[in-house]
Amino acid sequence: MAELVALPTGGTAGKTLTVATAADAFLGSLCNPNTVRNYGIGIGKTVERLGEAKPLASVTDEEIGEALELLWGSAAVNTWNARRASVSSWLAWCRERGYDAPIVPAWTKRLAVPDSETPVRSRMEIDRLIARREVGLREKTLYRMLYETAGRAEEILGVNVENLDFVGRRCRVKAKGARAKTRRRGQAREDVVLETVYWDAGTARLLPRLLKGRARGPVFLTHRRPGPGKVVSARDVCPHTGFARLSYGQARALLDAHTALGGPGTGWDLHEMRHSALTHLGEGGASLLMLMAKSRHKKTENVRRYFHPSPEAIAELTSLLGPGDRFR
């Protein structure tokens, strides 16, 4: 986390406050390390572009817009929106504290997020992948669990054995952007609000075979102990075997190796399991509210991006508009 830097006080402080000092103070005021890291990218590069020693009060709205455009004007929509939002939050924070600060100009507007281009795999493709002999039990369980829970890969890989509810076929996960719990007086706590994901018979059959009686530690493990020079948290090491938790990068490489047809890097992505699951549920008639409950999205537009019905599903739906049997 960035070190907290106190802003100068006084009625004329805004005239002498430098861009770098204002940025350090804002980043130092943030409590979440992930937010500090993400915001720091956009704000840090903007500060370099403007000039660290430049007085914040002398920066114009147009200069902010030009910096954003030059730095991320050709970037992906999500990247543009994220960097724009970080700079906007920083400048708004300065103004709220009485300092002269520019605003992000209207012409550098937030862009609409396009529909996801993540492919949707059919049920048959997923079943065939999991049934292949060369796919190990660990990967079979992971792929099936990702599909049946429609969970994010980072969430499922972060699950520990003690988190599993075998009877209820569910477990609690640390969700993306999980909010830290707060005490009554507002003091931050280290633990976060957890969310529940649910699986079905396929995962229920595979999990006991994978765990082999293990009662604690990560569900998905590597096949070796961490090297002597690698520092690993105790939570990420199995107390029974000493093996480390399987990382996202390792799991992604395994899936790519199992599915790549055009060489390394051309295979499936772990996120495709989530996309595919939500699309299949939608094709099966699940309502928007149920899809939101399953995916744990808070905004309907985010769920819509995940739903990509197949041409066959659209054709079947269209058949409902045809004339009845009495006209055929």
Side-chain angles (χ1 to χ4, degrees), residues 3-133:
E3 181 181 357
L4 180 61
V5 179
L7 289 176
T9 58
T12 61
K15 297 180 180 179
T16 58
L17 183 67
T18 66
V19 170
T21 301
D24 289 341
F26 171 68
L27 294 174
S29 70
L30 302 175
C31 298
N32 189 317
N34 292 329
T35 304
V36 173
R37 181 171 60 252
N38 293 332
Y39 274 31
I41 296 172
I43 295 172
K45 290 187 176 297
T46 302
V47 167
E48 292 178 5
R49 186 74 196 179
L50 296 173
E52 296 182 359
K54 187 170 185 174
L56 182 64
S58 68
V59 179
T60 65
D61 301 352
E62 293 300 310
E63 285 179 298
I64 293 293
E66 290 171 0
L68 290 173
E69 192 67 38
L70 287 170
L71 290 168
W72 299 290
S74 59
V77 171
N78 286 331
T79 301
W80 165 266
N81 287 340
R83 303 299 180 248
R84 179 188 178 281
S86 65
V87 172
S88 180
S89 297
W90 163 46
L91 298 176
W93 182 87
C94 292
R95 292 193 301 274
E96 288 170 359
R97 281 151 184 78
Y99 297 93
D100 296 334
I103 63 172
V104 174
W107 55 269
T108 57
K109 61 183 179 179
R110 187 181 187 279
L111 300 178
V113 179
D115 288 345
S116 173
E117 297 180 356
T118 302
V120 172
R121 306 298 174 177
S122 69
R123 289 183 179 88
M124 182 178 294
E125 287 179 303
I126 294 172
D127 288 342
R128 285 180 174 175
L129 168 65
I130 296 173
R132 284 164 53 182
R133 291 185 178 181

Side-chain angles (χ1 to χ4, degrees), residues 237-302:
V237 176
C238 174
H240 303 282
T241 65
F243 296 160
R245 185 186 305 278
L246 186 70
S247 71
Y248 180 92
Q250 292 167 325
R252 184 177 183 179
L254 287 168
L255 178 59
D256 181 70
H258 291 144
T259 57
L261 299 177
T266 63
W268 298 10
D269 191 89
L270 293 167
H271 205 52
E272 293 175 24
M273 297 296 183
R274 176 172 167 87
H275 272 258
S276 302
L278 295 176
T279 292
H280 297 162
L281 288 172
E283 290 177 344
S287 68
L288 177 61
L289 291 178
M290 290 303 294
L291 286 176
M292 291 181 67
K294 180 66 174 176
S295 66
R296 293 166 289 118
H297 279 116
K298 304 300 186 292
K299 297 181 179 179
T300 57
E301 59 265 28
N302 291 337

Side-chain angles (χ1 to χ4, degrees), residues 126 129-130 135-159 199 202-203 206-207 210 219-221 246-255 258 269-271 273-274:
I126 294 172
L129 168 65
I130 296 173
V135 176
L137 176 60
R138 177 187 59 185
E139 290 81 66
K140 290 178 186 288
T141 309
L142 175 61
Y143 304 156
R144 180 60 69 184
M145 194 170 184
L146 286 172
Y147 178 69
E148 291 186 355
T149 62
R152 300 175 180 89
E154 297 90 340
E155 298 171 345
I156 302 304
L157 289 169
V159 172
W199 62 82
T203 303
L206 292 169
L207 271 175
L210 175 69
V219 172
F220 298 101
L221 299 170
L246 186 70
S247 71
Y248 180 92
Q250 292 167 325
R252 184 177 183 179
L254 287 168
L255 178 59
H258 291 144
D269 191 89
L270 293 167
H271 205 52
M273 297 296 183
R274 176 172 167 87

